[in-house]
Amino acid sequence: MIIKTEALTKHYQVGSEKVEALKGITFSVERGEFISIMGPSGSGKTTLMNIIGCLDTPTNGTYFLNNKPVSELTDDELAHIRNDEIGFVFQSFHLLARNSALENVMLPLKYAGENKKNAIIRSNEALDKVGLSDRSSHSPSELSGGQQQRVAIARALVNKPSILFADEPTGNLDSKTGEDVMNLFKELNDNGQTIILITHEDSIAQQSKRIITIMDGLIKSDIKE
Amino acid sequence: MLVEESIRSAISSIKTNGVRSFLTALAIIIGTAAVISVIGIGSSAEKALEASIDDLGPRTLSIFPSQRKRGGIASGFNPLVIKDAEALAKNNEHNWLIAPAMSGNRQIKYKNSNMNGEINGYLPVNFEVRGFDIGSGRLFTEKENLGRKRVIILGSKVPGELKTSAREILNKDILIAGTSYTVIGVLKEEGSTGWQNPDDDLYVPLLTAAQRIFGTDRLGWINVGISNDTNVDYVMMTIEQILRQKHDIGPGGENDFRINDWSQFSDLRRQATGIFTALIAGIAGISLIVGGIGVMNIMLVSVTERTREIGLRKALGATQKSIMMQFIIEAVLLCILGGLLGIFIGVSLLYLFTSLNDWIFYMPLSAVFGSITFCALVGLFFGIWPAKRAAKLDPAVSLRYE
């Protein structure tokens, strides 16, 4: 089991008001799954992704990633886990504008302490995997939206993560390139990559193999194909 | 590779915001330029002083006439005279060189050229004490001095003043107050000592000067050349003893002359220069601190602007330490670049100043490295807080920062 959560809760203090973003989430993910987490805005799906993506810690509850308890780790320990185990793909790509595609893909390897030679080899492999080996020296502004998102996917894959998180990955793309990106995800999943997709679009969610719907901080439904 | 990445990121950030970076570093640039030029001018002044002390020969004491006091009240002026110098020269207890001199300005004429020049009455030994070398021709002799001969030696710049050359004027006559003197030698260029320039002066035998030019046996000063291993206090005591006797000063009476030890004087002057330099450099250094605050300010802006980038880097696995390093390196680099530019400007100013004033250009390397180190420390100190703020950013929040 890659992910196992037990009664995850998350409380925020907004001014004098206490917001319960998650009210007790229990679920697990097996290796090789392709999951969509759905829900309207304000449902808590982003908070859930932050916690299982190790960007945030839960208020209560336990979370095991690869059988390691991560709910009470320090900031830097979480950073190492994010570097090792998790690859992120964001709606707005989040590429560094002043760096080339290759340098963007290399970034996680730099934080992993990989030497430069290996980092370049591995980054080129990752770019090859998303079909952009001929664009490695281009800067993000010289690439189309779909190409930028594929660079971001290469960056997410370069450290061979246990899980690939994608937060609305097609949100900034037209339907044709969005479809290309989804096809890439399916292909990666067919090769064994575990993928968790956060989306509010039904048509996107339908392409995954399991759909978890979140509503008001709780799991409303968990449907496997 | 992380350090390399941090440096690359810092360079590209500084380059992207070129104008802003420059304005931020401006206080650092000005501060460093000020510190460097002030220290440089102070050091060059010290070098010039050392050179002028060296010019005085191995070690020189100077005796000057001064006011005679009786019971604290000035009671006339008792001059140093040639006989005083002779009395000193007669003493063979010390291995010293007694170099009496008198000087005054006179009009000098050669062909159709006129100049006003300082004429010095010297003994041959004076040239030795001052370390002057003859460039062409010869020095005058003791015999010419005793014979009150009308011979003259010119400072290296005098022939030019008289619109001629050393070669041409040698063995010719020049007129001083209507009397002709034969030029027997021209000195090598000696260089300014700071308070006088021997190259502009003219030199005649002391007795010639006393009798034919100034009409007095009053001396301007007596230089005493001593070797470096001499007991100066003892020499000064002997001088005092001889002169008090000559001037008939009883016990308890004050000296009517004073003795300067130039090396002591130069120590004092060096100290004063050093204190002054340190003071101004310190004030200029404050502007580096002010500059540091500017850097801190802009780094805080930069952290805010790059919140999303920081969030992304943290999401990809950057630890607090690596984010901190990135921003500290940026602040330090900004300060070092400012410092380098400041050094360039400071050294240029120093070069300009020294060449305009005909000084020796001297810039101590320790000051250059010192100011770069100081700039780096300023960047480090004022970079820490913004960097810490960046490192502490919550990745989940900063990724979605608009």
Side-chain angles (χ1 to χ4, degrees), chain A residues 46 50 75-76 79 82-83 94 96 98 103 110-111 114 116 155 167, chain B residues 1-2 4-5 8 12 16 309 312-314 316-317 320 399-400:
Chain A
T46 300
N50 285 345
D75 216 31
D76 279 354
R82 288 194 294 270
N83 187 255
H94 272 307
L96 298 182
R98 298 191 294 265
E103 286 163 344
K110 286 175 179 173
Y111 291 120
E114 178 67 283
K116 197 171 180 177
R155 181 180 64 192
D167 185 8
Chain B
M1 191 158 81
L2 202 52
E4 186 195 324
E5 157 70 16
R8 276 170 45 109
S12 96
T16 311
E309 179 194 323
L312 171 79
R313 286 177 184 272
K314 291 193 108 181
L316 297 182
Q320 294 197 4
L399 268 171
R400 284 172 183 78

PDB file of all heavy atoms in Angstrom, chain A residues 46 50 75-76 79 82-83 94 96 98 103 110-111 114 116 155 167, chain B residues 1-2 4-5 8 12 16 309 312-314 316-317 320 399-400:
ATOM      1  N   THR A  46      -8.341  20.341  -2.107  1.00  0.00           N
ATOM      2  CA  THR A  46      -6.994  20.916  -2.171  1.00  0.00           C
ATOM      3  C   THR A  46      -6.246  20.672  -0.860  1.00  0.00           C
ATOM      4  O   THR A  46      -5.062  20.317  -0.866  1.00  0.00           O
ATOM      5  CB  THR A  46      -7.082  22.420  -2.464  1.00  0.00           C
ATOM      6  OG1 THR A  46      -7.742  22.588  -3.707  1.00  0.00           O
ATOM      7  CG2 THR A  46      -5.705  23.038  -2.534  1.00  0.00           C
ATOM      8  N   ASN A  50      -2.783  18.675  -0.369  1.00  0.00           N
ATOM      9  CA  ASN A  50      -1.621  19.243   0.333  1.00  0.00           C
ATOM     10  C   ASN A  50      -1.092  18.270   1.383  1.00  0.00           C
ATOM     11  O   ASN A  50       0.114  18.133   1.547  1.00  0.00           O
ATOM     12  CB  ASN A  50      -2.004  20.565   1.001  1.00  0.00           C
ATOM     13  CG  ASN A  50      -2.135  21.697   0.006  1.00  0.00           C
ATOM     14  OD1 ASN A  50      -1.672  21.580  -1.135  1.00  0.00           O
ATOM     15  ND2 ASN A  50      -2.792  22.772   0.398  1.00  0.00           N
ATOM     16  N   ASP A  75       9.439  20.082   8.860  1.00  0.00           N
ATOM     17  CA  ASP A  75       9.437  20.733   7.561  1.00  0.00           C
ATOM     18  C   ASP A  75      10.476  20.137   6.611  1.00  0.00           C
ATOM     19  O   ASP A  75      10.178  19.830   5.454  1.00  0.00           O
ATOM     20  CB  ASP A  75       9.740  22.218   7.799  1.00  0.00           C
ATOM     21  CG  ASP A  75       8.962  23.094   6.850  1.00  0.00           C
ATOM     22  OD1 ASP A  75       7.847  22.687   6.479  1.00  0.00           O
ATOM     23  OD2 ASP A  75       9.477  24.158   6.478  1.00  0.00           O
ATOM     24  N   ASP A  76      11.707  19.994   7.111  1.00  0.00           N
ATOM     25  CA  ASP A  76      12.784  19.515   6.244  1.00  0.00           C
ATOM     26  C   ASP A  76      12.642  18.036   5.914  1.00  0.00           C
ATOM     27  O   ASP A  76      12.972  17.609   4.806  1.00  0.00           O
ATOM     28  CB  ASP A  76      14.148  19.788   6.892  1.00  0.00           C
ATOM     29  CG  ASP A  76      14.579  21.226   6.669  1.00  0.00           C
ATOM     30  OD1 ASP A  76      13.872  21.949   5.924  1.00  0.00           O
ATOM     31  OD2 ASP A  76      15.612  21.637   7.227  1.00  0.00           O
ATOM     32  N   ALA A  79      10.326  17.861   3.208  1.00  0.00           N
ATOM     33  CA  ALA A  79      10.967  18.286   1.960  1.00  0.00           C
ATOM     34  C   ALA A  79      11.683  17.108   1.306  1.00  0.00           C
ATOM     35  O   ALA A  79      11.606  16.913   0.088  1.00  0.00           O
ATOM     36  CB  ALA A  79      11.947  19.425   2.234  1.00  0.00           C
ATOM     37  N   ARG A  82       9.065  14.778  -0.165  1.00  0.00           N
ATOM     38  CA  ARG A  82       8.519  15.328  -1.422  1.00  0.00           C
ATOM     39  C   ARG A  82       9.511  15.119  -2.554  1.00  0.00           C
ATOM     40  O   ARG A  82       9.144  14.773  -3.676  1.00  0.00           O
ATOM     41  CB  ARG A  82       8.257  16.833  -1.279  1.00  0.00           C
ATOM     42  CG  ARG A  82       7.093  17.197  -0.403  1.00  0.00           C
ATOM     43  CD  ARG A  82       6.706  18.662  -0.593  1.00  0.00           C
ATOM     44  NE  ARG A  82       7.721  19.599  -0.132  1.00  0.00           N
ATOM     45  CZ  ARG A  82       7.792  20.093   1.097  1.00  0.00           C
ATOM     46  NH1 ARG A  82       6.905  19.733   2.000  1.00  0.00           N
ATOM     47  NH2 ARG A  82       8.731  20.944   1.423  1.00  0.00           N
ATOM     48  N   ASN A  83      10.797  15.311  -2.237  1.00  0.00           N
ATOM     49  CA  ASN A  83      11.824  15.162  -3.262  1.00  0.00           C
ATOM     50  C   ASN A  83      11.937  13.715  -3.746  1.00  0.00           C
ATOM     51  O   ASN A  83      12.084  13.448  -4.933  1.00  0.00           O
ATOM     52  CB  ASN A  83      13.157  15.656  -2.692  1.00  0.00           C
ATOM     53  CG  ASN A  83      14.246  15.700  -3.736  1.00  0.00           C
ATOM     54  OD1 ASN A  83      15.135  14.861  -3.757  1.00  0.00           O
ATOM     55  ND2 ASN A  83      14.157  16.678  -4.627  1.00  0.00           N
ATOM     56  N   HIS A  94       3.999  26.176 -13.320  1.00  0.00           N
ATOM     57  CA  HIS A  94       5.035  26.514 -12.353  1.00  0.00           C
ATOM     58  C   HIS A  94       6.444  26.183 -12.848  1.00  0.00           C
ATOM     59  O   HIS A  94       7.218  25.534 -12.161  1.00  0.00           O
ATOM     60  CB  HIS A  94       4.801  25.774 -11.026  1.00  0.00           C
ATOM     61  CG  HIS A  94       3.908  26.512 -10.082  1.00  0.00           C
ATOM     62  ND1 HIS A  94       4.127  27.802  -9.701  1.00  0.00           N
ATOM     63  CD2 HIS A  94       2.791  26.128  -9.437  1.00  0.00           C
ATOM     64  CE1 HIS A  94       3.181  28.191  -8.859  1.00  0.00           C
ATOM     65  NE2 HIS A  94       2.332  27.192  -8.684  1.00  0.00           N
ATOM     66  N   LEU A  96      10.200  27.649 -14.000  1.00  0.00           N
ATOM     67  CA  LEU A  96      11.021  28.845 -13.771  1.00  0.00           C
ATOM     68  C   LEU A  96      11.308  29.492 -15.129  1.00  0.00           C
ATOM     69  O   LEU A  96      11.936  28.891 -15.998  1.00  0.00           O
ATOM     70  CB  LEU A  96      12.333  28.482 -13.074  1.00  0.00           C
ATOM     71  CG  LEU A  96      12.179  27.857 -11.684  1.00  0.00           C
ATOM     72  CD1 LEU A  96      13.550  27.591 -11.069  1.00  0.00           C
ATOM     73  CD2 LEU A  96      11.367  28.754 -10.764  1.00  0.00           C
ATOM     74  N   ARG A  98      13.200  31.807 -16.242  1.00  0.00           N
ATOM     75  CA  ARG A  98      14.541  32.162 -16.730  1.00  0.00           C
ATOM     76  C   ARG A  98      15.404  30.940 -17.018  1.00  0.00           C
ATOM     77  O   ARG A  98      16.540  31.076 -17.436  1.00  0.00           O
ATOM     78  CB  ARG A  98      15.239  33.065 -15.701  1.00  0.00           C
ATOM     79  CG  ARG A  98      14.519  34.378 -15.485  1.00  0.00           C
ATOM     80  CD  ARG A  98      15.379  35.332 -14.690  1.00  0.00           C
ATOM     81  NE  ARG A  98      15.595  34.862 -13.337  1.00  0.00           N
ATOM     82  CZ  ARG A  98      14.849  35.235 -12.286  1.00  0.00           C
ATOM     83  NH1 ARG A  98      13.853  36.074 -12.462  1.00  0.00           N
ATOM     84  NH2 ARG A  98      15.098  34.781 -11.095  1.00  0.00           N
ATOM     85  N   GLU A 103      16.878  22.616 -17.575  1.00  0.00           N
ATOM     86  CA  GLU A 103      17.208  23.081 -16.212  1.00  0.00           C
ATOM     87  C   GLU A 103      16.009  22.957 -15.286  1.00  0.00           C
ATOM     88  O   GLU A 103      16.144  22.628 -14.105  1.00  0.00           O
ATOM     89  CB  GLU A 103      17.692  24.539 -16.254  1.00  0.00           C
ATOM     90  CG  GLU A 103      19.085  24.688 -16.807  1.00  0.00           C
ATOM     91  CD  GLU A 103      19.412  26.114 -17.237  1.00  0.00           C
ATOM     92  OE1 GLU A 103      18.458  26.922 -17.397  1.00  0.00           O
ATOM     93  OE2 GLU A 103      20.587  26.394 -17.428  1.00  0.00           O
ATOM     94  N   LYS A 110      18.752  18.479  -8.329  1.00  0.00           N
ATOM     95  CA  LYS A 110      19.694  19.332  -7.618  1.00  0.00           C
ATOM     96  C   LYS A 110      19.434  19.258  -6.122  1.00  0.00           C
ATOM     97  O   LYS A 110      20.361  19.151  -5.324  1.00  0.00           O
ATOM     98  CB  LYS A 110      19.557  20.781  -8.091  1.00  0.00           C
ATOM     99  CG  LYS A 110      20.150  20.966  -9.478  1.00  0.00           C
ATOM    100  CD  LYS A 110      19.913  22.354 -10.019  1.00  0.00           C
ATOM    101  CE  LYS A 110      20.561  22.493 -11.399  1.00  0.00           C
ATOM    102  NZ  LYS A 110      20.215  23.754 -12.041  1.00  0.00           N
ATOM    103  N   TYR A 111      18.138  19.304  -5.757  1.00  0.00           N
ATOM    104  CA  TYR A 111      17.825  19.222  -4.329  1.00  0.00           C
ATOM    105  C   TYR A 111      18.068  17.816  -3.783  1.00  0.00           C
ATOM    106  O   TYR A 111      18.240  17.630  -2.584  1.00  0.00           O
ATOM    107  CB  TYR A 111      16.388  19.678  -4.067  1.00  0.00           C
ATOM    108  CG  TYR A 111      16.217  21.158  -4.308  1.00  0.00           C
ATOM    109  CD1 TYR A 111      15.313  21.643  -5.255  1.00  0.00           C
ATOM    110  CD2 TYR A 111      16.983  22.078  -3.608  1.00  0.00           C
ATOM    111  CE1 TYR A 111      15.185  22.988  -5.489  1.00  0.00           C
ATOM    112  CE2 TYR A 111      16.863  23.430  -3.838  1.00  0.00           C
ATOM    113  CZ  TYR A 111      15.966  23.888  -4.779  1.00  0.00           C
ATOM    114  OH  TYR A 111      15.851  25.236  -4.997  1.00  0.00           O
ATOM    115  N   GLU A 114      22.024  15.008  -6.590  1.00  0.00           N
ATOM    116  CA  GLU A 114      22.574  14.224  -7.714  1.00  0.00           C
ATOM    117  C   GLU A 114      23.701  15.019  -8.380  1.00  0.00           C
ATOM    118  O   GLU A 114      23.653  16.249  -8.412  1.00  0.00           O
ATOM    119  CB  GLU A 114      21.436  13.975  -8.714  1.00  0.00           C
ATOM    120  CG  GLU A 114      21.820  13.212  -9.960  1.00  0.00           C
ATOM    121  CD  GLU A 114      22.210  11.770  -9.683  1.00  0.00           C
ATOM    122  OE1 GLU A 114      23.342  11.539  -9.199  1.00  0.00           O
ATOM    123  OE2 GLU A 114      21.380  10.876  -9.930  1.00  0.00           O
ATOM    124  N   LYS A 116      25.997  16.539 -11.451  1.00  0.00           N
ATOM    125  CA  LYS A 116      25.487  17.246 -12.624  1.00  0.00           C
ATOM    126  C   LYS A 116      25.362  16.341 -13.854  1.00  0.00           C
ATOM    127  O   LYS A 116      24.373  16.391 -14.577  1.00  0.00           O
ATOM    128  CB  LYS A 116      26.404  18.422 -12.936  1.00  0.00           C
ATOM    129  CG  LYS A 116      25.787  19.444 -13.856  1.00  0.00           C
ATOM    130  CD  LYS A 116      26.652  20.673 -13.948  1.00  0.00           C
ATOM    131  CE  LYS A 116      26.030  21.696 -14.874  1.00  0.00           C
ATOM    132  NZ  LYS A 116      26.824  22.923 -14.922  1.00  0.00           N
ATOM    133  N   ARG A 155       9.507  16.982 -15.170  1.00  0.00           N
ATOM    134  CA  ARG A 155      10.125  17.384 -13.909  1.00  0.00           C
ATOM    135  C   ARG A 155       9.569  16.547 -12.746  1.00  0.00           C
ATOM    136  O   ARG A 155      10.297  16.147 -11.848  1.00  0.00           O
ATOM    137  CB  ARG A 155       9.862  18.875 -13.663  1.00  0.00           C
ATOM    138  CG  ARG A 155      10.476  19.407 -12.376  1.00  0.00           C
ATOM    139  CD  ARG A 155      10.171  20.874 -12.198  1.00  0.00           C
ATOM    140  NE  ARG A 155       8.733  21.099 -12.047  1.00  0.00           N
ATOM    141  CZ  ARG A 155       8.155  22.302 -12.096  1.00  0.00           C
ATOM    142  NH1 ARG A 155       8.886  23.380 -12.299  1.00  0.00           N
ATOM    143  NH2 ARG A 155       6.861  22.424 -11.953  1.00  0.00           N
ATOM    144  N   ASP A 167      -2.586  18.546 -10.053  1.00  0.00           N
ATOM    145  CA  ASP A 167      -3.645  19.425  -9.567  1.00  0.00           C
ATOM    146  C   ASP A 167      -4.223  20.194 -10.750  1.00  0.00           C
ATOM    147  O   ASP A 167      -3.589  21.111 -11.246  1.00  0.00           O
ATOM    148  CB  ASP A 167      -3.050  20.371  -8.519  1.00  0.00           C
ATOM    149  CG  ASP A 167      -4.105  21.250  -7.873  1.00  0.00           C
ATOM    150  OD1 ASP A 167      -5.310  21.016  -8.132  1.00  0.00           O
ATOM    151  OD2 ASP A 167      -3.733  22.162  -7.119  1.00  0.00           O
TER     152      ASP A 167
ATOM    153  N   MET B   1      26.294  20.889  -6.450  1.00  0.00           N
ATOM    154  CA  MET B   1      25.495  21.416  -7.558  1.00  0.00           C
ATOM    155  C   MET B   1      24.469  22.425  -7.040  1.00  0.00           C
ATOM    156  O   MET B   1      24.048  23.321  -7.741  1.00  0.00           O
ATOM    157  CB  MET B   1      24.800  20.265  -8.269  1.00  0.00           C
ATOM    158  CG  MET B   1      24.176  20.718  -9.566  1.00  0.00           C
ATOM    159  SD  MET B   1      23.877  19.417 -10.750  1.00  0.00           S
ATOM    160  CE  MET B   1      22.374  18.731 -10.142  1.00  0.00           C
ATOM    161  N   LEU B   2      24.095  22.249  -5.749  1.00  0.00           N
ATOM    162  CA  LEU B   2      23.100  23.148  -5.161  1.00  0.00           C
ATOM    163  C   LEU B   2      23.658  24.560  -5.044  1.00  0.00           C
ATOM    164  O   LEU B   2      22.978  25.538  -5.327  1.00  0.00           O
ATOM    165  CB  LEU B   2      22.693  22.608  -3.779  1.00  0.00           C
ATOM    166  CG  LEU B   2      21.354  23.085  -3.259  1.00  0.00           C
ATOM    167  CD1 LEU B   2      20.264  22.859  -4.291  1.00  0.00           C
ATOM    168  CD2 LEU B   2      20.996  22.324  -1.991  1.00  0.00           C
ATOM    169  N   GLU B   4      26.005  25.831  -6.867  1.00  0.00           N
ATOM    170  CA  GLU B   4      26.077  26.345  -8.230  1.00  0.00           C
ATOM    171  C   GLU B   4      24.707  26.860  -8.666  1.00  0.00           C
ATOM    172  O   GLU B   4      24.582  27.947  -9.219  1.00  0.00           O
ATOM    173  CB  GLU B   4      26.548  25.218  -9.157  1.00  0.00           C
ATOM    174  CG  GLU B   4      26.807  25.675 -10.576  1.00  0.00           C
ATOM    175  CD  GLU B   4      26.921  24.502 -11.525  1.00  0.00           C
ATOM    176  OE1 GLU B   4      27.463  23.463 -11.141  1.00  0.00           O
ATOM    177  OE2 GLU B   4      26.426  24.637 -12.666  1.00  0.00           O
ATOM    178  N   GLU B   5      23.679  26.063  -8.372  1.00  0.00           N
ATOM    179  CA  GLU B   5      22.317  26.458  -8.725  1.00  0.00           C
ATOM    180  C   GLU B   5      21.947  27.776  -8.028  1.00  0.00           C
ATOM    181  O   GLU B   5      21.364  28.666  -8.635  1.00  0.00           O
ATOM    182  CB  GLU B   5      21.351  25.325  -8.314  1.00  0.00           C
ATOM    183  CG  GLU B   5      19.898  25.723  -8.086  1.00  0.00           C
ATOM    184  CD  GLU B   5      19.155  26.109  -9.358  1.00  0.00           C
ATOM    185  OE1 GLU B   5      19.662  25.781 -10.447  1.00  0.00           O
ATOM    186  OE2 GLU B   5      18.100  26.749  -9.253  1.00  0.00           O
ATOM    187  N   ARG B   8      23.785  30.625  -9.733  1.00  0.00           N
ATOM    188  CA  ARG B   8      23.163  30.914 -11.034  1.00  0.00           C
ATOM    189  C   ARG B   8      21.844  31.633 -10.869  1.00  0.00           C
ATOM    190  O   ARG B   8      21.540  32.591 -11.572  1.00  0.00           O
ATOM    191  CB  ARG B   8      22.926  29.612 -11.802  1.00  0.00           C
ATOM    192  CG  ARG B   8      24.137  29.131 -12.569  1.00  0.00           C
ATOM    193  CD  ARG B   8      23.865  27.741 -13.084  1.00  0.00           C
ATOM    194  NE  ARG B   8      22.526  27.676 -13.661  1.00  0.00           N
ATOM    195  CZ  ARG B   8      22.294  27.556 -14.958  1.00  0.00           C
ATOM    196  NH1 ARG B   8      23.298  27.451 -15.776  1.00  0.00           N
ATOM    197  NH2 ARG B   8      21.076  27.506 -15.420  1.00  0.00           N
ATOM    198  N   SER B  12      21.020  35.420 -12.167  1.00  0.00           N
ATOM    199  CA  SER B  12      19.937  35.704 -13.110  1.00  0.00           C
ATOM    200  C   SER B  12      18.917  36.642 -12.475  1.00  0.00           C
ATOM    201  O   SER B  12      18.342  37.492 -13.149  1.00  0.00           O
ATOM    202  CB  SER B  12      19.312  34.409 -13.616  1.00  0.00           C
ATOM    203  OG  SER B  12      18.171  34.076 -12.877  1.00  0.00           O
ATOM    204  N   THR B  16      18.071  40.132 -14.099  1.00  0.00           N
ATOM    205  CA  THR B  16      16.699  40.412 -14.545  1.00  0.00           C
ATOM    206  C   THR B  16      16.217  41.750 -14.004  1.00  0.00           C
ATOM    207  O   THR B  16      15.555  42.516 -14.698  1.00  0.00           O
ATOM    208  CB  THR B  16      15.750  39.295 -14.076  1.00  0.00           C
ATOM    209  OG1 THR B  16      16.328  38.055 -14.428  1.00  0.00           O
ATOM    210  CG2 THR B  16      14.390  39.444 -14.712  1.00  0.00           C
ATOM    211  N   GLU B 309       7.700  30.967  -6.617  1.00  0.00           N
ATOM    212  CA  GLU B 309       8.915  30.214  -6.968  1.00  0.00           C
ATOM    213  C   GLU B 309       9.431  29.459  -5.746  1.00  0.00           C
ATOM    214  O   GLU B 309       9.852  28.297  -5.853  1.00  0.00           O
ATOM    215  CB  GLU B 309       9.987  31.179  -7.485  1.00  0.00           C
ATOM    216  CG  GLU B 309      11.283  30.471  -7.847  1.00  0.00           C
ATOM    217  CD  GLU B 309      12.450  31.430  -8.034  1.00  0.00           C
ATOM    218  OE1 GLU B 309      12.249  32.528  -8.563  1.00  0.00           O
ATOM    219  OE2 GLU B 309      13.566  31.059  -7.621  1.00  0.00           O
ATOM    220  N   LEU B 312       7.271  26.520  -5.136  1.00  0.00           N
ATOM    221  CA  LEU B 312       7.585  25.445  -6.077  1.00  0.00           C
ATOM    222  C   LEU B 312       8.859  24.717  -5.676  1.00  0.00           C
ATOM    223  O   LEU B 312       8.910  23.486  -5.642  1.00  0.00           O
ATOM    224  CB  LEU B 312       7.761  26.017  -7.486  1.00  0.00           C
ATOM    225  CG  LEU B 312       8.303  24.969  -8.462  1.00  0.00           C
ATOM    226  CD1 LEU B 312       7.185  24.052  -8.912  1.00  0.00           C
ATOM    227  CD2 LEU B 312       9.015  25.587  -9.626  1.00  0.00           C
ATOM    228  N   ARG B 313       9.909  25.497  -5.373  1.00  0.00           N
ATOM    229  CA  ARG B 313      11.183  24.865  -4.998  1.00  0.00           C
ATOM    230  C   ARG B 313      10.995  23.976  -3.778  1.00  0.00           C
ATOM    231  O   ARG B 313      11.553  22.880  -3.708  1.00  0.00           O
ATOM    232  CB  ARG B 313      12.239  25.940  -4.721  1.00  0.00           C
ATOM    233  CG  ARG B 313      12.763  26.616  -6.000  1.00  0.00           C
ATOM    234  CD  ARG B 313      13.758  27.714  -5.674  1.00  0.00           C
ATOM    235  NE  ARG B 313      14.192  28.434  -6.854  1.00  0.00           N
ATOM    236  CZ  ARG B 313      15.232  28.074  -7.629  1.00  0.00           C
ATOM    237  NH1 ARG B 313      15.921  26.993  -7.323  1.00  0.00           N
ATOM    238  NH2 ARG B 313      15.568  28.780  -8.688  1.00  0.00           N
ATOM    239  N   LYS B 314      10.187  24.448  -2.824  1.00  0.00           N
ATOM    240  CA  LYS B 314       9.953  23.619  -1.635  1.00  0.00           C
ATOM    241  C   LYS B 314       9.162  22.367  -2.012  1.00  0.00           C
ATOM    242  O   LYS B 314       9.436  21.278  -1.517  1.00  0.00           O
ATOM    243  CB  LYS B 314       9.213  24.430  -0.565  1.00  0.00           C
ATOM    244  CG  LYS B 314      10.081  25.524   0.035  1.00  0.00           C
ATOM    245  CD  LYS B 314       9.479  26.097   1.290  1.00  0.00           C
ATOM    246  CE  LYS B 314      10.269  25.640   2.492  1.00  0.00           C
ATOM    247  NZ  LYS B 314       9.748  26.138   3.755  1.00  0.00           N
ATOM    248  N   LEU B 316       9.337  20.806  -4.697  1.00  0.00           N
ATOM    249  CA  LEU B 316      10.222  19.874  -5.406  1.00  0.00           C
ATOM    250  C   LEU B 316      11.295  19.306  -4.478  1.00  0.00           C
ATOM    251  O   LEU B 316      12.114  18.506  -4.904  1.00  0.00           O
ATOM    252  CB  LEU B 316      10.903  20.581  -6.578  1.00  0.00           C
ATOM    253  CG  LEU B 316       9.970  21.092  -7.672  1.00  0.00           C
ATOM    254  CD1 LEU B 316      10.775  21.715  -8.796  1.00  0.00           C
ATOM    255  CD2 LEU B 316       9.091  19.972  -8.211  1.00  0.00           C
ATOM    256  N   GLY B 317      11.297  19.739  -3.224  1.00  0.00           N
ATOM    257  CA  GLY B 317      12.220  19.116  -2.284  1.00  0.00           C
ATOM    258  C   GLY B 317      13.274  20.029  -1.689  1.00  0.00           C
ATOM    259  O   GLY B 317      14.179  19.549  -1.008  1.00  0.00           O
ATOM    260  N   GLN B 320      14.646  24.058   4.030  1.00  0.00           N
ATOM    261  CA  GLN B 320      14.752  25.438   4.497  1.00  0.00           C
ATOM    262  C   GLN B 320      16.169  25.957   4.282  1.00  0.00           C
ATOM    263  O   GLN B 320      16.382  27.097   3.889  1.00  0.00           O
ATOM    264  CB  GLN B 320      14.397  25.514   5.989  1.00  0.00           C
ATOM    265  CG  GLN B 320      12.954  25.180   6.247  1.00  0.00           C
ATOM    266  CD  GLN B 320      12.504  25.646   7.628  1.00  0.00           C
ATOM    267  OE1 GLN B 320      13.250  26.274   8.350  1.00  0.00           O
ATOM    268  NE2 GLN B 320      11.273  25.347   7.973  1.00  0.00           N
ATOM    269  N   LEU B 399       2.568  28.265  -2.948  1.00  0.00           N
ATOM    270  CA  LEU B 399       2.329  27.775  -4.312  1.00  0.00           C
ATOM    271  C   LEU B 399       1.118  28.446  -4.942  1.00  0.00           C
ATOM    272  O   LEU B 399       1.046  28.602  -6.154  1.00  0.00           O
ATOM    273  CB  LEU B 399       2.080  26.259  -4.280  1.00  0.00           C
ATOM    274  CG  LEU B 399       3.287  25.369  -4.470  1.00  0.00           C
ATOM    275  CD1 LEU B 399       2.911  23.939  -4.183  1.00  0.00           C
ATOM    276  CD2 LEU B 399       3.827  25.507  -5.885  1.00  0.00           C
ATOM    277  N   ARG B 400       0.165  28.823  -4.093  1.00  0.00           N
ATOM    278  CA  ARG B 400      -1.071  29.426  -4.624  1.00  0.00           C
ATOM    279  C   ARG B 400      -1.090  30.933  -4.447  1.00  0.00           C
ATOM    280  O   ARG B 400      -2.122  31.575  -4.600  1.00  0.00           O
ATOM    281  CB  ARG B 400      -2.277  28.793  -3.921  1.00  0.00           C
ATOM    282  CG  ARG B 400      -2.540  27.412  -4.455  1.00  0.00           C
ATOM    283  CD  ARG B 400      -3.583  26.660  -3.692  1.00  0.00           C
ATOM    284  NE  ARG B 400      -3.691  25.332  -4.256  1.00  0.00           N
ATOM    285  CZ  ARG B 400      -2.819  24.356  -3.997  1.00  0.00           C
ATOM    286  NH1 ARG B 400      -1.826  24.556  -3.166  1.00  0.00           N
ATOM    287  NH2 ARG B 400      -2.958  23.176  -4.570  1.00  0.00           N
TER     288      ARG B 400
END
